[in-house]
Amino acid sequence: MVVNRKVTGTATSMTMGLLIAGAMSLAVTIAGAGVCGYLISKEILTENAIGYCVMIIILLSAATGSAVAVNRIKRRRVFVCGISGLIYFVTLLSMTALFFGGQYQGIGVSGLLVAAGSGAVAILGLRREKAQHKRRRKLTNR
């Protein structure tokens, strides 16, 4: 089998990939909060379940943002996941300062959940690829 060495150009830059990942994390957070609010207003969930909803939303948002960043950037997986999680955490902190007057409660738990979501994406992608068969390389045109 012959390996084709053409450049496809499907990876985005680090800045653009992280920007898209941050926007995706915020979109998942807003959508999750809407779903959680809807379930509580219809009395499917009790008001005591708000904390668990928030924890699930933060975990899924961090994981989704990191997965989007890794799939867009396509290199330096662990670094990209860490930076993506850091961007999401700083965004959460700035939203707390802006909307809630800086009442920082539960920041440690939020930080651990963001680290767990981003770390899970980083660790899941580190497993070894299956051994590929030797392929003959196609000579480039001169």
Side-chain angles (χ1 to χ4, degrees):
M1 188 177 276
V2 177
V3 176
N4 198 359
R5 302 208 39 143
K6 292 180 184 175
V7 176
T8 58
T10 57
T12 60
S13 68
M14 186 83 71
T15 308
M16 194 58 152
L18 290 173
L19 183 69
I20 292 170
M24 190 66 175
S25 293
L26 285 178
V28 171
T29 302
I30 292 169
V35 168
C36 185
Y38 176 77
L39 291 176
I40 290 172
S41 71
K42 293 294 181 181
E43 296 182 1
I44 296 172
L45 293 176
T46 62
E47 291 181 15
N48 297 333
I50 291 175
Y52 297 115
C53 269
V54 169
M55 284 194 273
I56 291 170
I57 290 168
I58 290 175
L59 188 69
L60 288 178
S61 297
T64 303
S66 294
V68 166
V70 166
N71 286 335
R72 298 290 293 201
I73 296 172
K74 297 185 180 177
R75 57 188 158 84
R76 299 181 72 180
R77 181 179 196 92
V78 176
F79 179 74
V80 168
C81 285
I83 295 297
S84 173
L86 185 65
I87 288 172
Y88 179 60
F89 184 66
V90 168
T91 304
L92 287 178
L93 284 178
S94 63
M95 287 173 47
T96 300
L98 184 65
F99 294 124
F100 301 112
Q103 295 178 356
Y104 298 108
Q105 296 175 348
I107 295 299
V109 175
S110 296
L112 288 174
L113 288 170
V114 170
S118 297
V121 173
I123 290 172
L124 286 176
L126 289 180
R127 60 188 172 99
R128 292 191 123 184
E129 301 284 328
K130 291 183 179 179
Q132 295 180 354
H133 301 291
K134 287 190 174 184
R135 296 181 181 177
R136 206 176 50 174
R137 292 191 177 183
K138 190 180 209 180
L139 295 176
T140 59
N141 294 333
R142 298 178 197 222

PDB file of all heavy atoms in Angstrom, residues 105-128:
ATOM      1  N   GLN A 105     -17.703  31.140  45.868  1.00  0.00           N
ATOM      2  CA  GLN A 105     -18.021  29.997  46.715  1.00  0.00           C
ATOM      3  C   GLN A 105     -17.941  28.740  45.856  1.00  0.00           C
ATOM      4  O   GLN A 105     -18.491  28.687  44.762  1.00  0.00           O
ATOM      5  CB  GLN A 105     -19.420  30.124  47.312  1.00  0.00           C
ATOM      6  CG  GLN A 105     -19.560  31.293  48.235  1.00  0.00           C
ATOM      7  CD  GLN A 105     -20.997  31.463  48.702  1.00  0.00           C
ATOM      8  OE1 GLN A 105     -21.911  30.847  48.177  1.00  0.00           O
ATOM      9  NE2 GLN A 105     -21.184  32.316  49.695  1.00  0.00           N
ATOM     10  N   GLY A 106     -17.262  27.737  46.352  1.00  0.00           N
ATOM     11  CA  GLY A 106     -17.155  26.487  45.618  1.00  0.00           C
ATOM     12  C   GLY A 106     -16.168  26.530  44.466  1.00  0.00           C
ATOM     13  O   GLY A 106     -16.289  25.759  43.513  1.00  0.00           O
ATOM     14  N   ILE A 107     -15.195  27.423  44.525  1.00  0.00           N
ATOM     15  CA  ILE A 107     -14.219  27.549  43.440  1.00  0.00           C
ATOM     16  C   ILE A 107     -13.324  26.318  43.375  1.00  0.00           C
ATOM     17  O   ILE A 107     -12.965  25.858  42.294  1.00  0.00           O
ATOM     18  CB  ILE A 107     -13.380  28.830  43.627  1.00  0.00           C
ATOM     19  CG1 ILE A 107     -14.271  30.047  43.506  1.00  0.00           C
ATOM     20  CG2 ILE A 107     -12.243  28.906  42.623  1.00  0.00           C
ATOM     21  CD1 ILE A 107     -14.956  30.190  42.181  1.00  0.00           C
ATOM     22  N   GLY A 108     -12.971  25.775  44.532  1.00  0.00           N
ATOM     23  CA  GLY A 108     -12.115  24.588  44.543  1.00  0.00           C
ATOM     24  C   GLY A 108     -12.775  23.399  43.876  1.00  0.00           C
ATOM     25  O   GLY A 108     -12.151  22.684  43.082  1.00  0.00           O
ATOM     26  N   VAL A 109     -14.047  23.193  44.160  1.00  0.00           N
ATOM     27  CA  VAL A 109     -14.777  22.080  43.551  1.00  0.00           C
ATOM     28  C   VAL A 109     -14.911  22.305  42.049  1.00  0.00           C
ATOM     29  O   VAL A 109     -14.738  21.378  41.254  1.00  0.00           O
ATOM     30  CB  VAL A 109     -16.166  21.921  44.218  1.00  0.00           C
ATOM     31  CG1 VAL A 109     -16.982  20.859  43.519  1.00  0.00           C
ATOM     32  CG2 VAL A 109     -16.019  21.605  45.683  1.00  0.00           C
ATOM     33  N   SER A 110     -15.202  23.537  41.660  1.00  0.00           N
ATOM     34  CA  SER A 110     -15.311  23.844  40.227  1.00  0.00           C
ATOM     35  C   SER A 110     -13.979  23.611  39.522  1.00  0.00           C
ATOM     36  O   SER A 110     -13.948  23.061  38.413  1.00  0.00           O
ATOM     37  CB  SER A 110     -15.745  25.294  40.021  1.00  0.00           C
ATOM     38  OG  SER A 110     -17.021  25.498  40.544  1.00  0.00           O
ATOM     39  N   GLY A 111     -12.888  24.022  40.156  1.00  0.00           N
ATOM     40  CA  GLY A 111     -11.564  23.799  39.566  1.00  0.00           C
ATOM     41  C   GLY A 111     -11.244  22.322  39.416  1.00  0.00           C
ATOM     42  O   GLY A 111     -10.689  21.897  38.397  1.00  0.00           O
ATOM     43  N   LEU A 112     -11.605  21.541  40.420  1.00  0.00           N
ATOM     44  CA  LEU A 112     -11.371  20.092  40.330  1.00  0.00           C
ATOM     45  C   LEU A 112     -12.223  19.451  39.234  1.00  0.00           C
ATOM     46  O   LEU A 112     -11.754  18.554  38.522  1.00  0.00           O
ATOM     47  CB  LEU A 112     -11.655  19.428  41.667  1.00  0.00           C
ATOM     48  CG  LEU A 112     -10.637  19.682  42.775  1.00  0.00           C
ATOM     49  CD1 LEU A 112     -11.122  19.075  44.085  1.00  0.00           C
ATOM     50  CD2 LEU A 112      -9.290  19.104  42.386  1.00  0.00           C
ATOM     51  N   LEU A 113     -13.455  19.897  39.084  1.00  0.00           N
ATOM     52  CA  LEU A 113     -14.319  19.344  38.032  1.00  0.00           C
ATOM     53  C   LEU A 113     -13.810  19.715  36.639  1.00  0.00           C
ATOM     54  O   LEU A 113     -13.825  18.878  35.726  1.00  0.00           O
ATOM     55  CB  LEU A 113     -15.754  19.829  38.222  1.00  0.00           C
ATOM     56  CG  LEU A 113     -16.494  19.229  39.401  1.00  0.00           C
ATOM     57  CD1 LEU A 113     -17.806  19.954  39.635  1.00  0.00           C
ATOM     58  CD2 LEU A 113     -16.736  17.745  39.176  1.00  0.00           C
ATOM     59  N   VAL A 114     -13.351  20.938  36.483  1.00  0.00           N
ATOM     60  CA  VAL A 114     -12.796  21.351  35.187  1.00  0.00           C
ATOM     61  C   VAL A 114     -11.530  20.551  34.890  1.00  0.00           C
ATOM     62  O   VAL A 114     -11.330  20.070  33.771  1.00  0.00           O
ATOM     63  CB  VAL A 114     -12.526  22.872  35.164  1.00  0.00           C
ATOM     64  CG1 VAL A 114     -11.725  23.260  33.941  1.00  0.00           C
ATOM     65  CG2 VAL A 114     -13.827  23.639  35.200  1.00  0.00           C
ATOM     66  N   ALA A 115     -10.679  20.378  35.906  1.00  0.00           N
ATOM     67  CA  ALA A 115      -9.453  19.590  35.710  1.00  0.00           C
ATOM     68  C   ALA A 115      -9.785  18.136  35.397  1.00  0.00           C
ATOM     69  O   ALA A 115      -9.113  17.510  34.559  1.00  0.00           O
ATOM     70  CB  ALA A 115      -8.574  19.681  36.958  1.00  0.00           C
ATOM     71  N   ALA A 116     -10.810  17.590  36.032  1.00  0.00           N
ATOM     72  CA  ALA A 116     -11.196  16.202  35.767  1.00  0.00           C
ATOM     73  C   ALA A 116     -11.740  16.039  34.354  1.00  0.00           C
ATOM     74  O   ALA A 116     -11.405  15.069  33.657  1.00  0.00           O
ATOM     75  CB  ALA A 116     -12.236  15.742  36.781  1.00  0.00           C
ATOM     76  N   GLY A 117     -12.563  16.973  33.907  1.00  0.00           N
ATOM     77  CA  GLY A 117     -13.104  16.885  32.548  1.00  0.00           C
ATOM     78  C   GLY A 117     -12.031  17.017  31.488  1.00  0.00           C
ATOM     79  O   GLY A 117     -11.979  16.242  30.530  1.00  0.00           O
ATOM     80  N   SER A 118     -11.146  17.999  31.650  1.00  0.00           N
ATOM     81  CA  SER A 118     -10.065  18.192  30.678  1.00  0.00           C
ATOM     82  C   SER A 118      -9.049  17.056  30.757  1.00  0.00           C
ATOM     83  O   SER A 118      -8.541  16.594  29.737  1.00  0.00           O
ATOM     84  CB  SER A 118      -9.360  19.521  30.933  1.00  0.00           C
ATOM     85  OG  SER A 118     -10.254  20.579  30.756  1.00  0.00           O
ATOM     86  N   GLY A 119      -8.762  16.610  31.975  1.00  0.00           N
ATOM     87  CA  GLY A 119      -7.802  15.518  32.142  1.00  0.00           C
ATOM     88  C   GLY A 119      -8.301  14.208  31.581  1.00  0.00           C
ATOM     89  O   GLY A 119      -7.520  13.411  31.054  1.00  0.00           O
ATOM     90  N   ALA A 120      -9.603  13.965  31.675  1.00  0.00           N
ATOM     91  CA  ALA A 120     -10.159  12.730  31.127  1.00  0.00           C
ATOM     92  C   ALA A 120      -9.983  12.686  29.613  1.00  0.00           C
ATOM     93  O   ALA A 120      -9.615  11.648  29.047  1.00  0.00           O
ATOM     94  CB  ALA A 120     -11.636  12.610  31.491  1.00  0.00           C
ATOM     95  N   VAL A 121     -10.212  13.822  28.955  1.00  0.00           N
ATOM     96  CA  VAL A 121     -10.025  13.865  27.502  1.00  0.00           C
ATOM     97  C   VAL A 121      -8.553  13.678  27.148  1.00  0.00           C
ATOM     98  O   VAL A 121      -8.209  12.976  26.189  1.00  0.00           O
ATOM     99  CB  VAL A 121     -10.567  15.189  26.928  1.00  0.00           C
ATOM    100  CG1 VAL A 121     -10.223  15.336  25.458  1.00  0.00           C
ATOM    101  CG2 VAL A 121     -12.067  15.261  27.122  1.00  0.00           C
ATOM    102  N   ALA A 122      -7.671  14.280  27.937  1.00  0.00           N
ATOM    103  CA  ALA A 122      -6.234  14.155  27.670  1.00  0.00           C
ATOM    104  C   ALA A 122      -5.766  12.721  27.859  1.00  0.00           C
ATOM    105  O   ALA A 122      -5.006  12.187  27.049  1.00  0.00           O
ATOM    106  CB  ALA A 122      -5.447  15.089  28.580  1.00  0.00           C
ATOM    107  N   ILE A 123      -6.226  12.066  28.923  1.00  0.00           N
ATOM    108  CA  ILE A 123      -5.776  10.710  29.221  1.00  0.00           C
ATOM    109  C   ILE A 123      -6.364   9.697  28.243  1.00  0.00           C
ATOM    110  O   ILE A 123      -5.681   8.758  27.828  1.00  0.00           O
ATOM    111  CB  ILE A 123      -6.129  10.344  30.676  1.00  0.00           C
ATOM    112  CG1 ILE A 123      -5.248  11.153  31.620  1.00  0.00           C
ATOM    113  CG2 ILE A 123      -5.961   8.858  30.942  1.00  0.00           C
ATOM    114  CD1 ILE A 123      -5.619  11.018  33.069  1.00  0.00           C
ATOM    115  N   LEU A 124      -7.632   9.886  27.863  1.00  0.00           N
ATOM    116  CA  LEU A 124      -8.256   8.921  26.957  1.00  0.00           C
ATOM    117  C   LEU A 124      -7.583   8.886  25.590  1.00  0.00           C
ATOM    118  O   LEU A 124      -7.623   7.877  24.908  1.00  0.00           O
ATOM    119  CB  LEU A 124      -9.737   9.239  26.792  1.00  0.00           C
ATOM    120  CG  LEU A 124     -10.618   8.890  27.981  1.00  0.00           C
ATOM    121  CD1 LEU A 124     -12.046   9.346  27.729  1.00  0.00           C
ATOM    122  CD2 LEU A 124     -10.583   7.407  28.261  1.00  0.00           C
ATOM    123  N   GLY A 125      -6.974   9.976  25.177  1.00  0.00           N
ATOM    124  CA  GLY A 125      -6.322  10.007  23.874  1.00  0.00           C
ATOM    125  C   GLY A 125      -4.885   9.549  23.883  1.00  0.00           C
ATOM    126  O   GLY A 125      -4.249   9.487  22.835  1.00  0.00           O
ATOM    127  N   LEU A 126      -4.335   9.236  25.053  1.00  0.00           N
ATOM    128  CA  LEU A 126      -2.920   8.870  25.121  1.00  0.00           C
ATOM    129  C   LEU A 126      -2.657   7.390  24.902  1.00  0.00           C
ATOM    130  O   LEU A 126      -1.514   6.974  24.895  1.00  0.00           O
ATOM    131  CB  LEU A 126      -2.346   9.281  26.481  1.00  0.00           C
ATOM    132  CG  LEU A 126      -2.182  10.774  26.699  1.00  0.00           C
ATOM    133  CD1 LEU A 126      -1.618  11.035  28.082  1.00  0.00           C
ATOM    134  CD2 LEU A 126      -1.289  11.381  25.647  1.00  0.00           C
ATOM    135  N   ARG A 127      -3.705   6.603  24.752  1.00  0.00           N
ATOM    136  CA  ARG A 127      -3.453   5.176  24.553  1.00  0.00           C
ATOM    137  C   ARG A 127      -2.758   4.959  23.218  1.00  0.00           C
ATOM    138  O   ARG A 127      -2.911   5.732  22.283  1.00  0.00           O
ATOM    139  CB  ARG A 127      -4.748   4.383  24.642  1.00  0.00           C
ATOM    140  CG  ARG A 127      -5.765   4.770  23.648  1.00  0.00           C
ATOM    141  CD  ARG A 127      -7.068   4.058  23.954  1.00  0.00           C
ATOM    142  NE  ARG A 127      -8.097   4.575  23.092  1.00  0.00           N
ATOM    143  CZ  ARG A 127      -8.499   3.977  21.985  1.00  0.00           C
ATOM    144  NH1 ARG A 127      -7.979   2.812  21.647  1.00  0.00           N
ATOM    145  NH2 ARG A 127      -9.409   4.517  21.229  1.00  0.00           N
ATOM    146  N   ARG A 128      -2.015   3.896  23.153  1.00  0.00           N
ATOM    147  CA  ARG A 128      -1.195   3.656  21.965  1.00  0.00           C
ATOM    148  C   ARG A 128      -2.060   3.285  20.771  1.00  0.00           C
ATOM    149  O   ARG A 128      -3.050   2.585  20.890  1.00  0.00           O
ATOM    150  CB  ARG A 128      -0.212   2.526  22.224  1.00  0.00           C
ATOM    151  CG  ARG A 128       0.835   2.887  23.235  1.00  0.00           C
ATOM    152  CD  ARG A 128       1.876   1.850  23.222  1.00  0.00           C
ATOM    153  NE  ARG A 128       3.127   2.539  22.943  1.00  0.00           N
ATOM    154  CZ  ARG A 128       4.253   1.918  22.776  1.00  0.00           C
ATOM    155  NH1 ARG A 128       4.312   0.625  22.830  1.00  0.00           N
ATOM    156  NH2 ARG A 128       5.344   2.600  22.546  1.00  0.00           N
TER     157      ARG A 128
END
